[in-house]
Amino acid sequence: MFVTDRVRLRPPTPDDASNMFRLSGDPDLHLITDDEPFLPRHVGQVRARLEKQVTEPPDGQTAVSLLAETVADGTFLGSGVLWGINAFSRYAHLGISLVPEARGQGYGTEVIRLLCRYGFRNRNLRRLELETLASNTAMRRTAETCGFTHEGTQRDREYDGDGFVDLVIYGLLRRDWTP
Ligand SMILES: CC(C)(COP(=O)(O)OP(=O)(O)OC[C@H]1O[C@@H](n2cnc3c(N)ncnc32)[C@H](O)[C@@H]1OP(=O)(O)O)[C@@H](O)C(=O)NCCC(=O)NCCS
């Protein structure tokens, strides 16, 4: 579907439930990837949601969630999402979460680049943005490597489990994008 030499993005199937649960079932990961309270779920609930999507696929108008895996042998890497898609003003947000053993090897950069390609070319968006905790050096560096500009900082915006911390906002315009 969306692929580089090393990474493929595709819709998850019910058989991916246990891998997807590694992301959604981790309360510490949740604190840095989501600003809603963590709700414990079991893997069966993740599978049920994916099974429902087989018969009632999400319409993709406001969000598209994809699984990332290696091309070589299908090893699970994590997920990437385009969310908050606004077809009127033609912008969307990017989200990404990789399992620990997949980090720091360039996969995040490739996933973000694939999401940008999908957003700009296939969804004809004009602007992509991402938000992350100011302390998330890996995400900030990945965004910058992919051409995003630091556009602002919201002070004490997010709860990180210990206190309230700054949120940084990055943006990339299609006219500044290098495919
Ligand atoms: C953030 C994340 C997606 C980055 O993906 P990744 O595959 O680890 O990053 P890459 O290997 O592609 O590295 C991209 C850049 O970030 C830098 N980097 C990666 N991990 C880093 C770390 N822990 N500290 C500092 N820099 C780091 C790399 O050196 C590289 O810099 P360069 O382009 O100047 O060489 C991944 O680490 C992750 O999923 N983390 C947990 C979930 C998360 O934080 N998601 C984002 C929430 S908003």
Side-chain angles (χ1 to χ4, degrees), residues 96 98 103-106 108-109 131-132 136 138-139 141-142 145:
I96 180 171
L98 303 183
R103 297 175 198 162
Q105 302 164 62
T109 301
E131 301 85 21
T132 191
N136 194 340
M139 187 67 251
R141 190 66 216 130
T142 303
T145 293

Side-chain angles (χ1 to χ4, degrees), residues 91-128:
Y91 67 82
H93 301 257
L94 298 188
I96 180 171
S97 190
L98 303 183
V99 287
E101 67 270 20
R103 297 175 198 162
Q105 302 164 62
Y107 289 127
T109 301
E110 294 188 34
V111 170
I112 293 290
R113 287 194 168 135
L114 284 171
L115 289 172
C116 289
R117 185 178 170 81
Y118 173 62
F120 288 135
R121 280 180 57 83
N122 302 98
R123 301 297 295 251
N124 196 20
L125 296 173
R126 188 184 56 81
R127 171 187 161 82
L128 294 172

